[in-house]
Amino acid sequence: MSATAVRRRVAVRVDGVVQGVGFRPYVFRLAEEHGLAGFVHNDTRGVVVEVEGPPDAIERFLAALPAQAPPLARVEQVRARDVAPRGGGAFEIRHSDASGAAQALVSPDSATCAACLAELRDPADRRHRYPFINCTNCGPRFTIVRDVPYDRPLTTMAGFAMCPACQAEYDDPRDRRFHAQPNACPACGPRTRLLDGDGAALADGDAVAAAAGLLRDGAILAVKGLGGYHLACRADDEAAVTALRARKHREDRPFALMAADLDAARALARLGPADETLLASAARPIVLAPRRRDAPVAAAVAPGTRELGVMLPYAPLHHLLVQDAATTLVLTSGNVSDEPIAYRDEDALERLSPIADAFLVHDRPIHVRTDDSVVRSVGGRPMALRRSRGLVPESLRLPARARRPVLACGAELKSTFCLAKGDRAWIGHHIGDLRNAATLAAYGEGIAHFERLFDVHPEVVAHDLHPDYLATAHALERDGVELVGVQHHHAHLAACLAEHGRDPDELAVGAIYDGAGLGSDGTVWGGEILTGDLRGFTRSGALLAVRLPGGDRAAREPWRMACAWLVATSGPEPEIPRALAGRVDGEAWRAIARMADTGFAAPVTTSMGRLFDAAAALCGLRTHATYEGQAAIELEAAADPSARGAYPIAVHDGVLDARPAILALTADVRAGVPVAVVATRFHRAVAGATAQACAAAASAAGTEIVVLSGGVFQNRLLLDDAARRLEQLGLRVLVPERVPPNDGGISYGQAAVAAARS
């Protein structure tokens, strides 16, 4: 019998997140373990393997290949085909093949692994206290990659030549740093410096230790991280936190916190198992959780809310800084309010010098500006509220394949974009408010980077119907493409359906509640009951329409919506309610009442977000908002879930008439009923009416699927109550998990609609 008669050779294509995650050395070790010859290499699509040896060994290798993959790998598909045996007894790792269209998936940035942390803390290790320690199981990926395949020359580490010791690790397939593209050490890698606002050095030696000393003394620091600069101070120092608010021009929006470890996080917030899993995940997002009454943080950290946003260190520099500071830190975006975060050193020094007392910087360039991700757990499952560092650029599947490459341009606020080809979609990192010029520039740069990274050349461009959105303008400026307009709330519905893998023509009912979106009838929608699928929808119901006095200004001044709802409820000349007496000028109140009555400069709206604003104002919680959604957030925070009762909201022919609830709420406030009780009764009113309207629409459509999405459903109290009521009625409730329910998910919904319509 010839030698080849008992040998088999198989060519294997591995798709998924398999580059920059230690997959090739894993394949090398697996092949050696099974006594196989052959090779492995990266290409622009993923990983290519050929193995040769005894047929039973080949079968064991193929079974183990996806099952035992490295922690950061995500194997989506393994395709094997037999090829002619070639002989040979060795297995080798070959150089990457950069030819062909880019289809490889780039890994997100990943938190420092346990093995690297042990070295970081070991005085005998050559990387002891080295702020850029990493291996194939952790470290920067997306924020440093310029192109694919993911090799060092195509990252921002290209300028750092490895020393002999690092090069030996990089070249050894048995080492966990084999082809770890950011591999470095104190002898050859990036370095930290502590600077003043003019860029002059403040300390020699250990810059991180010196920076921690400044933090302990109450200073505000700008700290360069993985995706940009943060602003940091002690979380328990009221003076420092108040100073940071004043300098950053951030009046009320809560600050994020970085705790040293899970025990420190538990002292800040009440964490369930799902919260702790999210905190400790490789993505290391900010996790929103109920704050403890005795949390050791300054009152100015998160005024007006019962939650804290907590994260754990995700870069070695953070581990060192929090350890040396020996306290929880505020770690908020390095920007002035509403600007994009700084990520280039010169820009940071220029923009952040009026805020920061000192700068902890390093010389590893950041290629892509990336904010921290924000998540919360709902019913034991994650819900992404901001999808960015640690989660991007992980791809999502599309239920309907895009026959031609798609760019979806997203919305105006909390903006993201989405690129799609075939059945795969890439949602871009959180960009922010496009009305800021620097943010708009970052939006265009981000799209161009993704187009290059994933080799997508859009032929179809999906956009919102609103003609004044800058995202829509970007779509209209594209030449030679097919434009697909997608109604805002349909995009919310489609995003949730696509995320959950529903068939393109499967009907569902959606309660889509947000602040505003242009309706297909040209009016301002925001409290919609839709029946539809990925291709289209009908409007089955909506919140009763009222006037929006002053347009967008009403979102910044909730008292205006209180006035508008009272006009709709009680007539053209409502009195200033008790909770607003002395806080709203009488003449201004009468002027807004006239606008709401006549419709002058007051378009109609069905916005559920504005209804929550009205309720918060009528409770006396908020007359003027300093950030989006503030009034509704404070209304939720004020509620006492143990309180009894609910206000009436009539549901007739799909219309949710909240006027009875507004009357009852106003009467309760006038009678001195505690705000905690009033807020709870209002939430229950909306949840009950939502369940009633959705159940009726689902029955009419013959479906059991109900989607709850839109920015208003970031409200945990409302979401939990509405979902519980719907499930009690025998309906299946879908809520966003990996895709934000707010406008950060619009782009993915647009892409799903465009693909389905193709």
Side-chain angles (χ1 to χ4, degrees), residues 556-572:
R556 301 188 297 274
E557 299 180 14
W559 70 267
R560 289 175 175 245
M561 289 311 302
C563 184
W565 270 100
L566 288 178
V567 167
T569 300
S570 307

Side-chain angles (χ1 to χ4, degrees), residues 4 31 55 58 60 145 208 210 251 482 494 533 580 646:
T4 57
I58 294 282
R60 290 193 299 271
V145 66
V208 177
E251 297 176 57
E482 178 188 343
D533 54 23
L580 297 178

